[in-house]
Each structure stands twice: as C-alpha cells, then as structure tokens.
Amino acid sequence: MDRDEIADVIELQQVLARYALGMTQDDVEAVMEVFTPDGTYSAFGSTYTLADFPALVAAAPKGLFLTGTPVLDLDRQAGSGTGSQTLCFVEQTTHDTRRPLPTTDAGEPADAAG
C-alpha cells in the first residue's frame, strides 16, 4: 500500500470508530454523521436508510459497541470500495453479546461508512 491508500484505510477506520462510539454514547447525530445522505445500514437481514436512524438508535438496547478492523477493498481510481467489519455489542445490564457481520459500501474513501 502506498501512503494515500494507507491514509484512506485509516480514515475509514476512524469513521467506523466514530459510529461505534456514537452508538455507545446514544448520540444519534454522531451516528448519522458517519453516513452519506444516501447511505444505508444492513444488519440481521434488513436494510435501513438514514431517515430510520433516530428511531433505530432510540430503540437500540444500551451498551458497548465494539468494532474490529475492517477488511476493505478500495478502488481509488473509481472512488469506491466495499468492506466488511465485525461488530460486537455488549448489552449494558446483562452483558449479553450480539455479533452481526455488517457489510459496508465504502463509497468515497473520505467520508462513507455505509
């Protein structure tokens, strides 16, 4: 990887980390900021648009959202890419865990998590 590719990967890792932190802190605006206006979120067989996020975040159980290092396939010339990232949610009161495996469309490497 050259410097620009490494910078793109780090930037996407930061976007994904901001998503997890926003969810952990119950901060719907921070969560929505990591998505492009046409972005979607897919989990447990359903796909949600940005308009769905206030209700989704409000309804989500509270706890700790942990993300792993994403696997990214970026096409810098086209300005697009795809990726997968592990996510582990630890419920606040019971410590039960959930582990969906979301797939993201990286879109423009500068600012897209979904």
Side-chain angles (χ1 to χ4, degrees):
M1 268 192 230
D2 66 23
R3 284 182 183 254
D4 290 338
E5 291 170 321
I6 292 169
D8 288 346
V9 169
I10 291 170
E11 189 166 2
L12 285 167
Q13 288 173 332
Q14 288 297 297
V15 169
L16 295 166
R18 285 193 299 272
Y19 165 80
L21 184 61
M23 288 298 292
T24 297
Q25 294 177 333
D26 197 25
D27 184 348
V28 67
E29 290 184 21
V31 172
M32 291 174 68
E33 286 176 7
V34 304
F35 287 83
T36 58
D38 62 343
T40 60
Y41 172 78
S42 299
F44 303 111
S46 297
T47 299
Y48 305 96
T49 66
L50 199 59
D52 297 319
F53 271 65
L56 289 172
V57 174
K62 305 311 173 221
L64 178 62
F65 287 75
L66 302 168
T67 57
T69 302
V71 175
L72 302 170
D73 182 17
L74 304 178
D75 182 342
R76 296 190 74 245
Q77 287 185 333
S80 65
T82 59
S84 294
Q85 177 188 26
T86 56
L87 170 71
C88 179
F89 170 72
V90 182
E91 203 276 332
Q92 181 175 340
T93 58
T94 65
H95 303 129
D96 289 343
T97 61
R98 298 181 192 174
R99 294 176 202 94
L101 180 62
T103 300
T104 61
D105 177 357
E108 297 178 20
D111 190 36

